[in-house]
Amino acid sequence: MSEILLKDPRTAWAWHEYNQSRHARQIPDKLAKNILDAIPAGDHGHVEVLADGDIWVESSVFGAKDRSLRRADANFLARTMRRWIMVTPQLDLAVIVDGPPSGGVSLGSAQIDLEQSWITTIKDNSIKVFLDKRDSPALERIKDGAGFEILRLPYVDDVPEAPKLTVSPMDDTPRQLGTSSNEQEKGQEAEVAAYMAQVVQRVQLAFNNYGSKGAIKWIAQEEAARKEVARRALGYLLNAEHKLKRAPQIGDASLRSVLNYYHHMELLAAVCCREMGYPYPGNSPLGQKVMSLDDFY
């Protein structure tokens, strides 16, 4: 199996999930690199789903043949938040189809799990994705996004970097803030605690601005042309708010685990904002005018 996809933060989680499939295949490093090269800057740098499948032009004379494609002959697909990517040994470059994940959708009628599939059409392109089973988690991620599940995201420009843990305790067990006898460790814990408080403020502000009922209503009215994009993006922000309510404190888990939790929570919120083109964490709730002195004088 290609370690390239496992080590790259853009694909690490999707690659792990792909390998949970009973039908996971080995992917040559060349194809793995082609996938990474096909994710342009600004595409939020991460893959939500990796799967076996194919992309073809529906109007081509080979359409019927491709619809009957078997898993053993499939190529390798990746779905980001904005595009489908296919890599194949026959081509040096990836095949890319920009657009929403689904148009018209139909589930394959295969009676065996090996050939269960999902087919969609985007413009003149048809896309076939093989599934483990008809209710495969991959199908929900394709249709609704991976915002509620994803466990690794790459760095987002609008997000301040998390503190670096320069001092490593002898063990990785939870410890209450301020109980260390090591002055360097105490300073590190204080830095992480300050970072946690800042993350809470930013994530809460982003949710108030873009995830409240009023903001979601405004998005539904003003962003009707992008409702599918908005629905998928909001999944990331709503998960961030869900995590905020259950956020651990120093002492509940190891310092490293707590730091990872808060950093990932903020990345979730920032991904939503960047996908929608909104500033993170924003200055005011969508659809609400910020009052100033000029409104009263």
Side-chain angles (χ1 to χ4, degrees):
M1 293 291 181
S2 174
E3 293 297 308
I4 294 175
L5 298 177
L6 181 61
K7 293 179 179 179
D8 196 296
R10 296 173 293 175
T11 51
W13 179 78
W15 178 242
H16 172 271
E17 291 299 296
Y18 171 77
N19 279 288
Q20 304 310 300
S21 166
R22 301 190 303 276
H23 312 298
R25 301 184 297 169
Q26 293 187 3
I27 305 300
D29 286 350
K30 177 184 176 181
L31 296 188
K33 292 177 181 177
N34 285 349
I35 288 176
L36 297 177
D37 290 343
I39 304 174
D43 198 22
H44 303 297
H46 71 274
V47 170
E48 294 187 307
V49 176
L50 290 168
D52 301 318
D54 207 354
I55 297 175
W56 69 93
V57 179
E58 183 60 30
S59 59
S60 99
V61 295
F62 301 107
K65 175 183 177 181
D66 286 325
R67 277 188 173 270
S68 62
L69 175 79
R70 311 294 287 185
R71 186 188 289 266
D73 301 317
N75 290 307
F76 197 56
L77 300 181
R79 173 68 204 183
T80 72
M81 293 186 75
R82 298 182 182 178
R83 58 175 39 179
W84 285 99
I85 299 168
M86 181 182 76
V87 292
T88 172
Q90 288 74 39
L91 299 174
D92 290 333
L93 299 176
V95 174
I96 297 171
V97 177
D98 289 318
S102 61
V105 178
S106 61
L107 276 169
S109 58
Q111 298 301 309
I112 56 175
D113 283 348
L114 178 64
E115 301 300 336
Q116 291 291 347
S117 63
W118 175 88
I119 299 173
T120 187
T121 301
I122 301 177
K123 301 176 183 177
D124 294 329
N125 299 283
S126 286
I127 299 160
K128 183 171 185 175
V129 181
F130 286 101
L131 308 169
D132 260 8
K133 51 187 178 180
R134 291 180 69 89
D135 59 347
S136 169
L139 180 58
E140 295 304 313
R141 294 165 191 159
I142 291 171
K143 296 194 308 185
D144 299 324
F148 284 103
E149 302 176 84
I150 195 164
L151 296 178
R152 181 66 195 272
L153 289 166
Y155 176 71
V156 178
D157 291 341
D158 294 337
V159 174
E161 290 192 30
K164 304 295 184 184
L165 295 183
T166 57
V167 180
S168 299
M170 293 299 291
D171 60 9
D172 203 28
T173 56
R175 185 175 58 226
Q176 294 297 320
L177 179 62
T179 59
S180 173
S181 58
N182 184 299
E183 291 301 321
Q184 283 185 294
E185 288 180 4
K186 285 183 179 179
Q188 185 168 261
E189 290 171 354
E191 182 182 10
V192 171
Y195 169 76
M196 291 162 56
Q198 294 166 5
V199 169
V200 168
Q201 289 181 331
R202 290 191 292 264
V203 172
Q204 186 63 63
L205 182 58
F207 179 77
N208 291 342
N209 289 336
Y210 310 125
S212 65
K213 290 183 179 179
I216 291 177
K217 182 179 179 180
W218 185 91
I219 292 173
Q221 294 172 344
E222 301 298 324
E223 301 275 15
R226 297 199 300 160
K227 63 179 182 180
E228 186 167 357
V229 173
R231 177 174 56 82
R232 294 171 68 87
L234 283 170
Y236 286 78
L237 179 57
L238 295 177
N239 188 21
E241 197 266 343
H242 174 81
K243 288 184 174 298
L244 184 60
K245 293 179 178 178
R246 295 160 178 78
Q249 301 301 311
I250 293 177
D252 294 337
S254 70
L255 194 62
R256 174 178 168 279
S257 294
V258 172
L259 185 62
N260 286 339
Y261 186 101
Y262 279 77
H263 181 58
H264 183 70
M265 178 172 65
E266 182 161 38
L267 290 175
L268 288 168
V271 162
C272 171
C273 295
R274 192 166 72 172
E275 176 68 10
M276 294 300 296
Y278 301 151
Y280 174 79
N283 299 313
S284 61
L286 288 176
Q288 292 186 24
K289 184 179 184 301
V290 177
M291 305 301 287
S292 69
L293 291 173
D294 295 339
D295 293 298
F296 298 95
Y297 281 91

